[in-house]
Amino acid sequence: MLEITDDAPAASAPVAPTPLADGVAAPAATVAAPRSATPAGPLVIIGSGHAGYGLAEAVRARDPEREIHVVTADDGGLYAKPALSNAFALGKDAEALLDEPALAIEKRLNIRVHAFCPVERLDAEAKRLHTRLGALDYGQLVLATGASPIRIPVEGEPGALLSVNDRGDYGELRRRLDALGRPARVIIVGDGLIGCEFANDLALAGHAVEVVGLAERPLPRLLPEVGSEVLREALAALGVGWHLSRSVVSVAAEEGGYRLTLTDGSTLEADLVVSAVGLAPNVELARAAGVDCGRGIRVDDYLATSLPDVHALGDAVELDGQLLPYLAPINAGLRALSETLTGTPTAVSYPVMPVMVKTPAAPVCAVVPPAEVAVTWHVTATVDGIEAGAYDAGGRLLGVALVGEAAMARRSDWIKACGHAQAA
C-alpha cells in the first residue's frame, strides 16, 4: 500500500509519462542472463501511458491475483496519444480523447492507480519509491516514464512555443485556437513526423499553417528525397507553407500574436506557435537511482535495467544504442515483459516495425533500414505517390518507403517482403 511517511520529499516536477527519432529499426540482439523468475512483492509501474497500462493489463491476464500499482503524475486517464496530432480531423476536444478514466481502469483490471502522484526518488536498495504522497514499496518495478518535448532555445518569448504531448497540452491548444474565433495563423517548428501530422490536421481544419524546419526536406529520416517531395507538395496543396533549412532565433510578442525571426533573417507572423522538434526520454529518476542510462534507460533483451528487479518499457527505453518509441516495439515489449514478470523470462522478439505517419494528404508508411548498412533506394511512381525499397549490396530488402493511398494499398505486401528478407 501507499504509505504516507514523514520523510517523503517535497514535490517537484512530475515525471511525465509519446516519436523521438523519426525511424526505428529492429535492434541487434543483446541477450543477457534472465533475472530471477519468481515474482515477489507488488508490481509497481511508473507511468500511465500505453506502455504502463498495456503492461498492467497483460500481467493481469496472466495472473489474476498479482498486486499491481500504477503511479502517475497526471490524472491517470487512458487515451491514445497518437490521436493528439489528428484530433481536429477526428472532431474531438481534449475530453473526447479520453477513452477510460482511472477509476474505471482500477475496477476493470483490479489494480491501484495512484493519480497526481509524481515520483521524487527511487531507493533501489530498499526497493521503495518516494512520491509526493508518501512511500511505496515494490517487489518488481517497471519504469514506463515516457518522454518529454525538447525545448529549443529562442530569444524573447520562449514560452510562446506550445508543445502538445498530452491531453492537457491539446486542451490548451484548442483553447487558444477557439479563443480567436477565426482561422489562425499557426507556425509549426519541426519538419518531422509530429510536425507534419499537425500541419496536415490544422490545415484541414482551415488554419493557415507554416512549417519551419532545420532539415532540407520533411521526414528526412524516414523517406528518400522523392518521397519527401511528394509529401511536401501534398501538404502545400492544402495551403501549408515551408521554411526549411532554418530555425527560429527569436519570438517577439505583438498585439494579437507573435513575430518570429528565423536564422536566415526572415520573419513570420503567427497567432500560435507549436513546437514539434522531438522528444527526449525521461531518464532523470532512473539516472539518479543509479540505473545505467545513455540517451534513454539502457535495457537488455528482457527489458531489464542495470538494477535488480527494475525493468523499463516504452519511449524511455534504449536498447543497443537505439531509442524504441512507437507502438510496434512497445507492444512487442509488453507482451514479453508480462511473461518475464509472471515467472517466465522471455526475451523480446522485435518484428519488422513500420512507422505510420497520419498525413491524409499523403499517408506514409516506412521501415527504416539499419543506419550502419549502405542501401540503394529503388523508387516506383504511383498515381498519387511513390513505392520505394531500400536494398543492400546483396539485393536484400532492408527498408520500405510508401507515400500515397495507392502505395498504402500494397503496404502489407511490402512489410511481409521486408520481414522475409531480414529473416533470411
Side-chain angles (χ1 to χ4, degrees):
M1 297 179 64
L2 185 66
E3 176 187 1
I4 304 300
T5 59
D6 292 336
D7 63 343
S12 65
V15 177
T18 141
L20 303 180
D22 278 334
V24 59
T30 56
V31 178
R35 309 290 188 180
S36 170
T38 304
L43 169 62
V44 177
I45 301 168
I46 303 176
S48 59
H50 175 70
Y53 276 141
L55 178 63
E57 185 165 10
V59 171
R60 175 59 72 231
R62 293 179 58 84
D63 186 344
E65 305 299 327
R66 185 73 187 275
E67 182 180 348
I68 301 173
H69 298 256
V70 172
V71 182
T72 179
D74 61 21
D75 65 6
L78 179 63
Y79 65 98
K81 183 166 285 191
L84 293 173
S85 58
N86 70 333
F88 280 93
L90 296 174
K92 292 186 175 183
D93 59 18
E95 288 304 314
L97 287 174
L98 180 64
D99 294 323
E100 192 174 14
L103 183 59
I105 297 169
E106 283 190 322
K107 292 180 178 179
R108 177 170 62 86
L109 297 181
N110 187 27
I111 64 176
R112 176 68 190 279
V113 178
H114 304 275
F116 303 111
C117 185
V119 178
E120 307 290 353
R121 182 164 59 90
L122 162 59
D123 184 342
E125 184 174 354
K127 302 184 76 171
R128 169 173 286 195
L129 301 181
H130 294 274
T131 81
R132 184 173 64 86
L133 301 180
L136 177 63
D137 293 332
Y138 66 85
Q140 294 169 311
L141 177 67
V142 177
L143 304 173
T145 50
S148 295
I150 295 171
R151 307 290 182 182
I152 62 172
V154 298
E155 299 174 2
E157 301 283 344
L161 276 65
L162 175 64
S163 296
V164 182
N165 192 45
D166 57 34
R167 278 197 312 127
D169 295 338
Y170 178 72
E172 176 63 14
L173 173 67
R174 288 296 297 256
R175 185 194 67 77
R176 295 190 190 185
L177 291 175
D178 292 345
L180 290 171
R182 58 171 172 79
R185 301 165 300 169
V186 181
I187 293 177
I188 297 174
V189 184
D191 49 31
L193 186 153
I194 297 299
C196 289
E197 288 187 345
F198 270 114
N200 200 145
D201 199 36
L202 291 169
L204 283 176
H207 301 290
V209 179
E210 307 278 342
V211 176
V212 177
L214 276 173
E216 296 180 352
R217 54 190 176 89
L219 300 185
R221 297 185 185 93
L222 283 183
L223 299 175
E225 186 172 350
V226 64
S228 292
E229 184 60 19
V230 170
L231 177 61
R232 190 194 67 79
E233 290 181 354
L235 291 177
L238 294 180
V240 175
W242 296 92
H243 307 270
L244 300 174
S245 299
R246 67 200 84 176
S247 187
V248 178
V249 174
S250 65
V251 179
E254 294 187 339
E255 185 177 357
Y258 303 97
R259 177 180 292 272
L260 282 70
T261 301
L262 307 186
T263 48
D264 64 352
S266 62
T267 61
L268 297 172
E269 295 183 350
D271 299 303
L272 183 71
V273 185
V274 176
S275 178
V277 296
L279 301 172
N282 293 322
V283 300
E284 293 80 7
L285 177 70
R287 181 173 282 129
V291 176
D292 181 27
C293 295
R295 289 187 298 159
I297 300 171
R298 291 186 174 125
V299 297
D300 62 18
D301 279 3
Y302 295 83
L303 297 177
T305 73
S306 59
L307 295 181
D309 297 313
V310 179
H311 293 73
L313 178 68
D315 293 353
V317 161
E318 178 185 327
L319 176 61
D320 198 34
Q322 294 187 61
L323 299 175
L324 300 177
Y326 304 109
L327 293 181
I330 291 174
N331 288 337
L334 67 85
R335 286 191 294 268
L337 185 54
S338 67
E339 297 183 17
T340 296
L341 296 175
T342 53
T344 305
T346 303
V348 184
S349 176
Y350 293 101
V352 173
M353 296 181 286
V355 178
M356 308 298 298
V357 186
K358 301 185 300 297
T359 45
V364 171
C365 173
V367 176
V368 181
E372 67 276 9
V373 180
V375 297
T376 301
W377 286 98
H378 296 270
V379 181
T380 301
T382 67
V383 294
D384 66 345
I386 59 108
E387 297 180 3
Y391 297 86
D392 67 7
R396 287 192 307 155
L397 178 65
L398 298 184
V400 174
L402 308 176
V403 185
E405 294 289 352
M408 295 293 279
R410 286 173 26 87
R411 180 179 64 201
S412 61
D413 293 336
W414 277 100
I415 301 305
K416 288 178 182 177
C418 194
H420 291 325
Q422 293 185 15

